[in-house]
Amino acid sequence: MDTRRLLRTSALALIPLSVLVSGCTGGSSPSDAVESPAAASSPSSASAAPSAGLERYYTQKLTWRECGVPGFDCATMEAPLDYDAPGEGSIELAVARKKATGPGKRLGSLQVNPGGPGGSALEYLQAYAGIGYPAPVRARYDMVAVDPRGVAHSEPVECLTGAEMDAYTQVDQTPDDTAETAALTRAYRDFAAGCEKRSGEVLPHVSTVEAARDMDILRAVLGDGTLTYVGASYGTFLGATYAELFPERVGRLVLDGAMDPSLSARELNRDQTAGFETAFQAFAADCVQQPDCPLGQTSAADASARMKAFFAQVDADPVPTGESRELGESLATTGVVAAMYDEGAWPRLREALASAMDGDGSGLLLLADSYYERSADGSYANLMYANAAVNCLDLPPAFKDASAVRSALPEFEKASPVFGKGFAWAALNCTFWPTSATGAPHRIEAEGAAPIVVVGTTRDPATPYKWAESLAAQLDSGTLLTYDGDGHTAYGRGSDCIDTAINAYLLEGTPPKDGKRC
């Protein structure tokens, strides 16, 4: 799937968080008094002995230490670099927690993941989940996060220098001729080669299956009989993969903004293209009702036409931004895409578009930089590198070469007249990846798992609603909870109906009725 799409959870959309995490308060051990929801569901199978060679990982003791963020503890957990050869080296994974605040007995640990792949679970925990999840949930659970292998603080994948990444993000992603196609292809090759050069040892071992197995080690060392988990966006694929691997160890799983594991990379990219078109149409319909809309005040269709015309204009004649980087079509498109994750960003997008159309591209550039997690000093977080590394390992490439992209352009442009061409070409990135994919599209049923809640938002741009419908239907114990609204994901975004249903499930073990709509 495209390396630039499944990146944001609603709570964190457009907010750079890298300054919030440093290294990590002495805390008590997992033997603290706990009323575990998991223990009641499947105690015998959940406590089954680990596979041969993994015993030392499952029995390790975490040493908790103070974090730079008050109220949080951090630790380092070891996992085998290669699960097929667990005795031949390990990888260190960064873990953080915020202990249950009370009142009431602990229900155990609640692991969280914000998606990506490549989003830092630690930063999400410390900046949002550990302080922003509903108070009754934080009162009863230790809130826990582990950065997946290759991500952020867990031996991060590195690929390019800041200057190289600046150049990469400006490459024309809607090539009009042979020369521009060659330049885009070369950029993808250079990106892949940079990842292999700087992270070759870890690159073959950052799959979602391995990350899910790491989560099971963490579950065990935390003292939990089964896993309680909230995953957003790509985090739903991670959670569903866990359920597939360890159905008997599933406690209470919330999969919010669901992915469909049965789809190929090409299908995922095409569906996402349509998802962003749906989100843009919602933005456009709202924009034309606003007095400051730079896309006109007539109709959403007219706004779409003006948007396409603007992209074509900056493709031919980039707009100054007040710094060395100009705003060309690629950065402009990324800035618009970034604002589609949360309708709260729509006013900012209107302002940025108006300024860009008046010759100042700095607002759209800031939106694009937030999407790429670029700091003011020109450095980048490893989000985009980890995103590509995981995606390109999880699924075979969407396209075999540039000619295959050209053949697919009609279906992508039908899915989105505004974004289709660029999204199709962006899906070429895994074609040149140095490590062959180890995963393949398949249905996940997780037969025998406890009830799993799958949440879908009807106008979600990054994870289209039909993906949630599909995953809920695939899972043997899946139940679908629908939010009729805009933006990416639903939990904690202001819907009392959604939050009440999920809170009841996490606290009481009662899933919402299948098909419940908010």
Side-chain angles (χ1 to χ4, degrees):
M1 97 204 52
D2 180 358
T3 65
R4 304 190 314 156
R5 304 298 173 223
L6 297 180
L7 298 173
R8 303 289 181 191
T9 62
S10 59
L12 300 183
L14 313 179
I15 302 175
L17 300 172
S18 57
V19 298
L20 298 177
V21 176
S22 57
C24 286
T25 91
S28 52
S29 72
S31 61
D32 292 345
V34 56
E35 180 183 295
S36 172
S41 61
S42 54
S44 59
S45 57
S47 59
S51 303
L54 299 179
E55 295 87 354
R56 76 178 185 92
Y57 296 106
Y58 273 82
T59 58
Q60 66 186 294
K61 304 296 183 184
L62 298 184
T63 301
W64 296 100
R65 58 190 184 276
E66 291 186 355
C67 289
V69 182
F72 291 86
D73 307 335
C74 288
T76 299
M77 185 184 85
E78 280 194 281
L81 177 64
D82 183 350
Y83 274 93
D84 290 333
E88 296 182 9
S90 61
I91 187 169
E92 293 188 343
L93 307 178
V95 181
R97 74 173 178 185
K98 186 176 185 183
K99 296 183 68 178
T101 56
K105 275 192 173 182
R106 284 177 62 241
L107 292 175
S109 305
L110 171 58
Q111 292 192 42
V112 297
N113 183 280
S120 173
L122 267 67
E123 294 173 19
Y124 174 73
L125 176 72
Q126 294 176 339
Y128 177 66
I131 57 177
Y133 267 32
V137 173
R138 292 184 284 115
R140 304 291 299 281
Y141 284 102
D142 289 349
M143 303 291 293
V144 178
V146 55
D147 273 350
R149 49 180 62 211
V151 173
H153 308 280
S154 293
E155 302 197 17
V157 171
E158 298 294 343
C159 300
L160 303 178
T161 66
E164 289 169 341
M165 189 65 179
D166 277 348
Y168 178 77
T169 62
Q170 296 177 76
V171 174
D172 189 348
Q173 287 200 334
T174 57
D176 299 314
D177 54 35
T178 301
E180 289 185 351
T181 301
L184 180 58
T185 300
R186 184 166 57 252
Y188 287 142
R189 289 186 185 276
D190 290 347
F191 184 98
C195 298
E196 184 176 34
K197 177 181 178 181
R198 294 175 173 87
S199 302
E201 183 180 6
V202 72
L203 219 56
H205 301 293
V206 294
S207 70
T208 297
V209 166
E210 290 160 308
R213 296 188 70 173
D214 296 340
M215 285 170 54
D216 194 56
I217 292 177
L218 180 58
R219 172 204 59 77
V221 300
L222 291 171
D224 295 316
T226 55
L227 177 73
T228 301
Y229 172 80
V230 176
S233 194
Y234 160 80
T236 67
F237 180 44
L238 181 58
T241 300
Y242 180 93
E244 180 179 39
L245 292 170
F246 309 106
E248 74 283 1
R249 299 177 193 173
V250 168
R252 300 170 186 175
L253 266 59
V254 177
L255 309 181
D256 184 13
M259 287 182 60
D260 182 350
S262 71
L263 299 179
S264 68
R266 176 168 173 162
E267 292 168 326
L268 286 167
N269 277 278
R270 187 187 61 226
D271 283 358
Q272 272 197 330
T273 302
F276 276 95
E277 179 68 20
T278 297
F280 179 80
Q281 290 303 316
F283 162 74
D286 176 79
C287 185
V288 297
Q289 303 299 317
Q290 310 300 326
D292 63 342
C293 180
L295 301 177
Q297 277 82 36
T298 54
S299 66
D302 186 48
S304 296
R306 289 174 183 243
M307 189 76 265
K308 288 184 66 177
F310 171 72
F311 286 152
Q313 176 186 332
V314 295
D315 185 27
D317 188 15
V319 177
T321 64
E323 59 168 272
S324 59
R325 293 177 299 153
E326 293 183 313
L327 184 80
E329 184 182 14
S330 291
L331 286 172
T333 301
T334 301
V336 174
V337 164
M340 295 298 100
Y341 283 86
D342 190 338
E343 67 270 28
W346 291 357
R348 183 179 174 188
L349 176 59
R350 293 198 303 270
E351 181 181 358
L353 280 171
S355 294
M357 291 175 177
D358 197 35
D360 177 8
S362 59
L364 276 179
L365 182 64
L366 282 173
L367 283 169
D369 284 351
S370 71
Y371 185 86
Y372 285 122
E373 293 198 352
R374 182 188 190 273
S375 298
D377 64 3
S379 63
Y380 286 78
N382 98 305
L383 173 65
M384 293 298 164
Y385 311 140
N387 187 265
V390 176
N391 284 335
C392 296
L393 204 56
D394 279 349
L395 288 175
F399 298 111
K400 64 178 182 178
D401 54 31
S403 64
V405 178
R406 285 194 199 90
S407 297
L409 286 177
E411 68 182 83
F412 276 76
E413 291 185 284
K414 179 180 179 180
S416 174
V418 176
F419 303 115
K421 185 176 181 180
F423 278 30
W425 281 105
L428 185 63
N429 68 310
C430 287
T431 301
F432 310 105
W433 204 247
T435 303
S436 297
T438 56
H442 65 285
R443 290 173 54 85
I444 291 181
E445 299 178 358
E447 185 176 353
I452 298 171
V453 176
V454 179
V455 189
T457 298
T458 55
R459 292 180 294 281
D460 189 317
T463 52
Y465 176 67
K466 68 178 184 178
W467 289 1
E469 291 181 303
S470 179
L471 180 59
Q474 290 173 45
L475 289 167
D476 185 59
S477 59
T479 182
L480 178 65
L481 174 62
T482 298
Y483 173 53
D484 187 357
D486 297 294
H488 186 34
T489 73
Y491 188 43
R493 298 191 69 244
S495 169
D496 288 340
C497 175
I498 290 290
D499 290 356
T500 298
I502 293 176
N503 292 348
Y505 171 63
L506 291 175
L507 295 172
E508 301 163 16
T510 305
K513 183 179 178 180
D514 187 31
K516 180 177 175 62
R517 200 173 185 92
C518 294

